[in-house]
Amino acid sequence: MEFGTPLVEMKNISIAFGGVQAVDDVSVDLYPGEVVGLLGHNGAGKSTLIKILSGAYKADSGEICINGTSVTINSPRDARTNNIETIYQTLALADNLDAASNLFLGREITNSFGLVNDDAMEAETREIMARLNPNFKKFASPVSALSGGQRQSVAIARAVYFNAKILIMDEPTAALGVHETQMVAELIEELKRQGIGIFLISHDIQDVFKLCDRVSVMKNGQLVGTENVADVTEDDVLGMIILGKQPEKAA
Amino acid sequence: MSQTDTSNAGTSGPLTTQRKGLAALELDMRLIGMIAALLVIWIAFAAFTDGRFLTPRNIFNLTIQTVSVAIMATGMVFVIVTRHIDLSVGSVLGVCSAAMAMLQTQYLPEIFGLGSPFIWIFTVIAGVIVGTAIGAFHGWMIGYLTIPAFIVTLGGLLVWRNVAWHMTDGQTVGPLDPTFAIFGGINGTLGETWSWIVGAVLTAGALIMLVQSRRTKAAHGFPVKPRWAEISLGAIFTVSILGFILIINSYQIPGPRLARQFAARGEVMPEGLEMGYGIPISALLLIVIAIVMTVIARRTRLGRYIFATGGNPDAAELSGIDTRMLTVKVFAIMGALCAISAVVASARLTNHTNDIGTLDELRVIAAAVIGGTALSGGLGTIYGAILGALIMQSLQSGMAMVGVDAPYQNIIVGAVLVLAVWVDIIYRRRAGL
Ligand SMILES: Nc1ncnc2c1ncn2[C@@H]1O[C@H](COP(=O)(O)OP(=O)(O)OP(=O)(O)O)[C@@H](O)[C@H]1O
Ligand SMILES: [Mg+2]
């Protein structure tokens, strides 16, 4: 799987909140068309690590390279400029706005007068939602009136719509039903074929094994190890998560 | 699955099948509630005053009394929507008024000569700059230094009121420039003909927007309201706008005053001439501000970001919105509107007084809140705030007309504010907002 320059390299990333070392000298990388799973128990530092990539936090130390060149990501805007899109665990939706306004938040379609064009945005939203979640019909309601899964669909749509090269998915299917989860799995396969690199955070090991090429396991802010999914068993990975130890390498 | 909903964000509740009857109009129920409350207040006071409350004269007065608070209330909507508060608006109004009064009575006449038409223009521009700068400064302390808005503007309440006192040595400054005074109300009205023209333009604008919005929706294949509902809406707009003009126009300029106006122009008043005042320029100003603020709220990125930030500040920031700068802009707009209100309020008195705008912060906040702006952020409308200001002013003027003593007026206004918010909370809970 690993050849050429990685799409993303996060090298020796550390960040502390007050006394808590949330991420401690972690290095991960991601190749085009690859899905890397991030695993670890609650509070392991997975969300914090990817929030550094998405510009929500600034690392205390470490380096981020995109396509081999070092970049500074100081804000979500910087991340977007580098074609990084994120589905946050908290979804990060403005509850009082409708689906289209959320999807285009910060990147509104405007008309020739510079005024936001709600109808055009709604049309685009209807189009992408028809692909992601055909049952979705609540285009006029504020997203506070949506179910957890519907909200998640909106967040996914937002990340996919803008032609990301690097996609971060923090537990994207946590609130989804079986069918919708299946659709997200298919979406991930499709995005992979398009050469998009995906960081996928999930607690569902079976999902991870189905969708990911490699897994990186974190524990207490540190990286336990990164393994090719093909080379390990689910039990090996469980061991890494729980014990924080790398599996014995088969000779 | 039920029929798809139409796309009127903010007003629609859960999905229903095809909307029937009144529901097809898709009116904002909260708006209807406010209009109903206003009508109840008006009819009640009319009954208690033998109809005097609803004479063209009183409606004219009510209009010019509402303008100053209503202008600021539109800005307060943005402030409260972004989860802040501004306690300093009355004092900022005072300091802008003081600055403008000093400029037009003491400094500018020396430069341009007494009575020069440049005086009022420079005065207004300078006043708006002062107000915007003060507001931006507040916003900077709130956004960048992260001092709570409550504290910054509480400080501002004390500081600016007394800066105004310092600028004028505590004196009443006046009389103000005669051209400046046309913004005050009775001294500056459009006359009947121009009022009708304004009414026609507004009506045409409203109708064109209805048609346009229906067309683009249909072009995108979105569901639209039934035709009869759309036509009824247009009719309601037309009747309200032209009805208002008709009422205002039927307030006649008293004979002697009219004669004086003719005399001032060196003409003789034709026998038996009757003329209405027409729309006050201050009311026209409010209409323009209402339109501009509504466009900002609904159709600009700035407005979208204001509401997004109010709904979920973290989400706004993660979407790349600079929420600190946004805070500066919101408070700068508030400051500019305080300055415009200062023009209206001081022009109405034709003087700057020490206590101008005192307690306006409470009226303005009350107007915004009665108008449906949620203190928890993210919700509020410009027209709601203006209606809120009108409801407050109607109560106050009505009670004064009935002869309720000022202290009792305040007791009732305070109680109504709390009651209105309680009703709003119940409504929102029921509507699932
Ligand atoms: N903004 C913050 N301020 C202070 N501490 C934080 C902050 N964000 C995260 N932490 C701490 O950093 C550690 C890692 O949190 P993080 O959210 O990255 O965990 P996670 O691996 O995503 O867990 P989960 O599986 O529950 O989502 C935790 O101990 C958490 O309490
Ligand atoms: Mg997490």
Side-chain angles (χ1 to χ4, degrees), chain A residues 56 76-77 80 88 92-93 96-98 101 105-106 108 111 115-116 118-123 126 137 140 158, chain B residues 1 4 6-7 9 12 15 216-217 220 222 298-301 304-305 307-308 311-312 315 317-321 378:
Chain A
R77 217 167 254 280
R80 285 181 169 185
Y88 291 97
L93 299 172
N96 53 335
L97 302 183
D98 59 15
S101 302
L105 190 56
E108 290 74 10
N111 63 18
L115 300 176
V116 297
D118 283 313
D119 292 324
M121 293 194 285
E122 188 178 331
R126 281 174 188 265
K137 291 285 187 296
R158 172 167 64 184
Chain B
M1 196 68 207
T4 49
T6 59
S7 67
S12 47
L15 282 183
T216 50
K217 282 211 188 348
H220 280 293
F222 301 161
R298 300 207 158 168
R299 300 299 308 278
T300 67
R301 288 194 160 152
R304 190 57 47 90
Y305 298 167
F307 281 83
N312 186 346
E317 219 152 302
L318 291 175
S319 300
I321 295 169

Side-chain angles (χ1 to χ4, degrees), chain A:
Chain A
M1 197 71 223
E2 296 167 49
F3 44 82
T5 356
L7 193 52
V8 184
E9 287 170 278
M10 298 182 78
K11 298 178 194 163
N12 308 103
I13 303 286
S14 295
I15 188 173
F17 297 108
V20 185
Q21 193 67 42
V23 175
D24 188 1
D25 198 30
V26 171
S27 300
V28 289
D29 55 6
L30 178 69
Y31 286 82
E34 188 190 31
V35 182
V36 171
L38 279 178
L39 291 169
H41 56 77
N42 294 122
K46 310 178 294 289
S47 295
T48 308
L49 179 68
I50 58 96
K51 276 186 177 174
I52 290 169
L53 183 57
S54 74
Y57 296 147
K58 204 170 150 18
D60 297 336
S61 63
E63 193 189 9
I64 298 174
C65 291
I66 308 275
N67 292 320
T69 42
S70 178
V71 293
T72 31
I73 297 178
N74 286 331
S75 68
R77 217 167 254 280
D78 293 344
R80 285 181 169 185
T81 328
N82 283 298
N83 294 310
I84 302 170
E85 293 290 334
T86 312
I87 301 160
Y88 291 97
Q89 191 171 9
T90 54
L91 302 183
L93 299 172
D95 279 340
N96 53 335
L97 302 183
D98 59 15
S101 302
N102 269 293
L103 206 152
F104 286 92
L105 190 56
R107 291 180 281 205
E108 290 74 10
I109 300 178
T110 52
N111 63 18
S112 41
F113 300 108
L115 300 176
V116 297
N117 190 340
D118 283 313
D119 292 324
M121 293 194 285
E122 188 178 331
E124 292 291 311
T125 308
R126 281 174 188 265
E127 202 164 298
I128 186 155
M129 289 311 273
R131 271 176 52 205
L132 288 179
N133 185 349
N135 291 327
F136 189 92
K137 291 285 187 296
K138 291 194 172 185
F139 293 98
S141 321
V143 297
S144 59
L146 306 185
S147 76
Q150 289 169 330
R151 291 159 56 83
Q152 206 145 31
S153 308
V154 175
I156 295 173
R158 172 167 64 184
V160 198
Y161 178 82
F162 291 95
N163 300 321
K165 296 236 163 54
I166 300 153
L167 197 55
I168 301 167
M169 302 176 129
D170 196 346
E171 307 195 19
T173 56
L176 295 187
V178 195
H179 181 226
E180 287 80 2
T181 303
Q182 183 54 35
M183 298 200 62
V184 171
E186 281 164 20
L187 176 73
I188 290 177
E189 294 293 342
E190 188 194 323
L191 295 172
K192 238 176 99 156
R193 278 194 296 277
Q194 296 170 10
I196 292 168
I198 301 174
F199 276 121
L200 176 67
I201 300 178
S202 175
H203 286 290
D204 186 332
I205 296 205
Q206 282 174 6
D207 257 7
V208 169
F209 267 73
K210 222 169 6 183
L211 294 170
C212 297
D213 302 294
R214 288 187 294 149
V215 285
S216 293
V217 178
M218 291 179 70
K219 187 174 164 72
N220 299 332
Q222 292 173 330
L223 185 72
V224 177
T226 303
E227 299 291 338
N228 283 324
V229 167
D231 302 345
V232 287
T233 63
E234 290 187 17
D235 283 344
D236 290 337
V237 173
L238 268 175
M240 289 168 79
I241 296 171
I242 297 164
L243 304 170
K245 278 198 285 217
Q246 291 211 241
E248 318 263 311
K249 293 269 180 198

Side-chain angles (χ1 to χ4, degrees), chain B residues 267-287:
Chain B
E267 297 168 25
V268 182
M269 185 176 99
E271 202 52 42
L273 179 75
E274 289 199 331
M275 273 172 78
Y277 279 103
I279 303 179
I281 288 173
S282 59
L284 191 62
L285 197 60
L286 172 61
I287 292 170

Side-chain angles (χ1 to χ4, degrees), chain B residues 402-414:
Chain B
V402 171
V404 179
D405 291 330
Y408 296 116
Q409 288 180 25
N410 287 336
I411 290 176
I412 291 173
V413 169

Side-chain angles (χ1 to χ4, degrees), chain B residues 231-308:
Chain B
I231 291 172
S232 323
L233 268 188
I236 293 172
F237 287 155
T238 309
V239 169
S240 329
I241 296 171
L242 297 182
F244 173 71
I245 307 279
L246 181 68
I247 291 171
I248 293 288
N249 268 350
S250 52
Y251 176 32
Q252 306 286 340
I253 304 175
R257 183 177 172 125
L258 199 55
R260 269 203 308 278
Q261 283 180 7
F262 273 89
R265 273 180 270 143
E267 297 168 25
V268 182
M269 185 176 99
E271 202 52 42
L273 179 75
E274 289 199 331
M275 273 172 78
Y277 279 103
I279 303 179
I281 288 173
S282 59
L284 191 62
L285 197 60
L286 172 61
I287 292 170
V288 171
I289 287 173
I291 292 172
V292 170
M293 290 293 280
T294 304
V295 169
I296 292 179
R298 300 207 158 168
R299 300 299 308 278
T300 67
R301 288 194 160 152
L302 174 63
R304 190 57 47 90
Y305 298 167
I306 287 172
F307 281 83

